Amino acid sequence: MLLLGIDVGTSSIKVSVINAADTKLVASAQFPETEATIISQHPGWAEQAPESWWQYTCQAIQKLNTSGAYDPKRIAAIGIAYQMHGLVIVDKDKNVLRPSIIWCDSRAVETGNKAFEAIGASYCQQCLLNSPGNFTASKLAWVKQHEPAVFEKVDKLMLPGDYIAMQLTREITTSPAALSEGILWDFQSNAVANKVMDHYGFSEKMIPAVQPVFSVHGSVTAPVAATLGLKAGIPVSYKAGDQPNNALSLNVMQPGEIAATAGTSGVIYAVSDKLTGDPQSRVNSFAHVNHNATQKSIGVLLCINGTGIMNRWVKDTAGSHLLYAQINQQAAKVPLGSNGLLVLPFGNGAERMLQNKMTGAQISNLQLTMHQPAHLFRAVQEGIACAFRYGLDILKENGLRPSVIRAGKANMFLSDVFTDLFVNFTGTPVELYENDGAVGAAIGAGIGAGIYTTPKEAFRSYKPVGLAEPTNDHEEYTRIYERWKGLLEKALL
């Protein structure tokens, strides 16, 4: 028996097939090979065409099938992970009405700020666990204000994973976890947040059918199955945002457990059983994949928009002829502190942990007669690690005290330089696992389809592939971090 996972990323669609018996990877593929386009018509805007996600999904699955590593007819369930907070809107015929306003788009910041004031801080923190901020509901409110003709045609609002599931099954569903991502879920009443809906003037009919994350969200239609070489009727039995899904893939399910990822954006994701929100809305709390009315399971998410995207920028700008592994090798030869070079990596939209401010990415203390590209490569990784330290300190203010962090050996954690910087700037060991979002989605599909009776059963053979621990250079790392933090504080004035 096989399970298929689909990861709808910002850069590409990745798909993986695993063996249900032992969760081992059978084969994986992605499409496109180069990074997908982000449309940015104005500063701070970021959009993608949902139709392209579907095209890429089909091409990725077809490419995977050609590997010959498995029989597509043996796939028993499908799970979907997706970039969080994106807005997809369709009409009554399930036609997309406009490009998706994705997670790193900043246009709705002021819309969310006004809603926070109008709805009230107490309700937002106690019932929503967040400010409406720059999330999905506020993005739809922006459409209502600026594109009224489009808004009038809206039948259903969705997140990116809901759209892919709709294309597979022609059914539209959502979950408390998904609605909480959009700041449309009231945790106290355990229902759709009518106060937000009323404030923004949204019809209840726009909300799809609400059901658990682990449940059947529809079955693959015969025409789609024929196109993709699958059996008709396969259940789509799991949908989750990329960060909750990453936590699932690392078996981070219980209060006190913490996951980290450093892809295009960087995230520290901690599971809590407390219905509380950060008073300054610098971190966000959403329903975790196993949250329900009787079991409080909240994912406390600290997001840094500018991480891997900053690393990619410096590669494209100063090392386009190099592989990432070569950049890491050059960075390893530069001493800690990059000979005084400092980098703020915040150049990918408004940063929630900075209270939605946009400082832009900054390079400070560049000495033209001393600094070479290798210094820049290292300084960027140091700046990103310092940003993680800054974010972890915010989580500590909110009562979280990690003794170890779990991360997939992927993206920036493939760099020994970055991994060493991360554990030393944060002072926290990191367990590294072989994981990715598509594999996590496949495991989620097995749980949702009842192939695994519990998540614990799915992870019975899960073991780390490495452990990184802080060294004894605490004072030196602290000194560098304080210089970096001083630069950030000046940028925030």
Side-chain angles (χ1 to χ4, degrees):
M1 187 184 298
L2 304 174
L3 301 169
L4 171 64
I6 302 169
D7 185 6
V8 185
T10 310
S11 301
S12 67
I13 307 295
K14 183 170 185 181
V15 291
S16 293
V17 167
I18 67 169
N19 190 318
D22 57 11
T23 70
K24 298 297 184 183
L25 178 67
V26 175
S28 65
Q30 70 177 49
F31 197 92
E33 297 297 337
T34 57
E35 296 192 9
T37 301
I38 295 178
I39 306 162
S40 184
Q41 297 179 343
H42 301 280
W45 287 28
E47 299 180 344
Q48 288 184 320
E51 297 91 342
S52 69
W53 299 334
W54 175 236
Q55 292 168 8
Y56 296 157
T57 299
C58 293
Q59 288 169 290
I61 292 172
Q62 290 164 343
K63 178 182 175 182
L64 188 64
N65 290 346
T66 63
S67 69
Y70 63 94
D71 178 1
K73 301 295 186 184
R74 292 177 55 207
I75 292 172
I78 298 173
I80 302 171
Y82 57 86
Q83 49 174 292
M84 297 173 73
H85 315 304
L87 172 69
V88 181
I89 45 178
V90 297
D91 64 18
K92 59 183 177 57
D93 295 318
K94 298 183 173 66
N95 297 312
V96 174
L97 292 169
R98 70 173 324 282
S100 173
I101 303 175
I102 66 171
W103 60 276
C104 55
D105 186 290
S106 303
R107 76 186 71 181
V109 169
E110 191 55 35
T111 301
N113 290 342
K114 290 178 180 178
F116 182 76
E117 294 177 5
I119 296 172
S122 177
Y123 174 83
C124 289
Q125 291 170 6
Q126 294 177 18
C127 298
L128 306 177
L129 309 186
N130 299 283
S131 163
N134 187 41
F135 295 107
T136 316
S138 299
K139 289 176 166 71
L140 182 57
W142 184 95
V143 173
K144 180 184 177 185
Q145 180 180 355
H146 296 278
E147 300 174 353
V150 172
F151 181 81
E152 287 178 5
K153 298 177 184 178
V154 176
D155 180 64
K156 291 289 185 288
L157 69 91
M158 293 183 285
L159 294 164
D162 301 326
Y163 170 77
I164 296 300
M166 181 198 79
Q167 291 287 33
L168 287 164
T169 69
R170 303 310 293 170
E171 296 184 36
I172 305 176
T173 68
T174 188
S175 67
L179 291 172
S180 73
E181 283 179 46
I183 319 301
L184 287 165
W185 188 254
D186 187 318
F187 284 90
Q188 299 299 331
S189 63
N190 197 42
V192 174
N194 289 327
K195 203 163 185 178
V196 176
M197 297 286 288
D198 292 344
H199 170 76
Y200 281 143
F202 298 161
S203 167
E204 291 182 12
K205 295 179 181 178
M206 293 181 179
I207 304 295
V210 182
Q211 54 191 66
V213 169
F214 298 112
S215 64
V216 175
H217 296 274
S219 300
V220 175
T221 65
V224 169
T227 298
L228 299 180
L230 307 175
K231 289 190 303 183
I234 298 172
V236 174
S237 50
Y238 170 82
K239 294 186 298 182
D242 51 10
Q243 298 309 325
N245 178 72
N246 181 65
L248 167 75
S249 72
L250 292 165
N251 196 22
V252 171
M253 301 289 282
Q254 301 303 318
E257 295 178 337
I258 295 182
T261 183
T264 301
S265 63
V267 166
I268 300 176
Y269 186 98
V271 178
S272 173
D273 56 4
K274 305 290 191 300
L275 292 179
T276 58
D278 176 47
Q280 300 178 55
S281 298
R282 297 165 299 174
V283 299
N284 302 106
S285 297
F286 307 115
H288 193 30
V289 293
N290 57 342
H291 175 82
N292 56 52
T294 58
Q295 174 183 309
K296 303 295 185 291
S297 186
I298 305 299
V300 183
L301 188 154
L302 183 287
C303 181
I304 309 163
N305 286 356
T307 52
I309 194 170
M310 181 74 198
N311 201 42
R312 187 190 75 186
W313 179 88
V314 75
K315 177 186 182 299
D316 292 345
T317 304
S320 59
H321 59 293
L322 300 173
L323 301 173
Y324 280 111
Q326 293 172 308
I327 283 175
N328 296 335
Q329 288 169 2
Q330 290 194 20
K333 297 176 182 177
V334 174
L336 178 64
S338 303
N339 293 117
L341 192 62
L342 294 171
V343 172
L344 298 182
F346 309 118
N348 192 28
E351 293 283 355
R352 292 198 291 277
M353 76 170 186
L354 304 180
Q355 296 181 284
N356 282 322
K357 292 184 179 178
M358 296 178 65
T359 67
Q362 297 187 22
I363 300 171
S364 179
N365 199 32
L366 179 64
Q367 303 297 319
L368 301 179
T369 58
M370 176 174 61
H371 292 130
Q372 303 297 319
H375 291 87
L376 191 57
F377 299 152
R378 183 179 184 95
V380 164
Q381 296 197 35
E382 289 181 349
I384 295 167
C386 285
F388 272 102
R389 158 69 188 275
Y390 188 89
L392 189 60
D393 286 350
I394 293 173
L395 288 176
K396 289 178 179 178
E397 288 178 32
N398 283 270
L400 295 163
R401 294 288 185 272
S403 58
V404 66
I405 293 173
R406 296 177 191 167
K409 194 170 178 59
N411 300 313
M412 292 200 67
F413 282 106
L414 288 171
S415 167
D416 292 338
V417 172
F418 175 75
T419 303
D420 179 69
L421 291 167
F422 182 98
V423 299
N424 280 291
F425 277 119
T426 64
T428 309
V430 170
E431 289 180 350
L432 293 167
Y433 291 81
E434 293 289 356
N435 85 313
D436 65 37
V439 169
I443 292 172
I447 298 169
I451 295 167
Y452 309 119
T453 56
T454 64
K456 184 177 180 180
E457 180 187 348
F459 292 100
R460 61 186 179 274
S461 60
Y462 209 49
K463 290 181 173 56
V465 295
L467 174 66
E469 297 184 276
T471 61
N472 295 321
D473 303 326
H474 177 72
E475 290 185 5
E476 180 67 7
Y477 281 94
T478 299
R479 183 185 66 79
I480 295 168
Y481 174 71
E482 291 301 328
R483 288 185 60 239
W484 180 92
K485 185 178 177 183
L487 178 63
L488 174 59
E489 289 171 345
K490 289 180 182 177
L492 292 172
L493 292 177

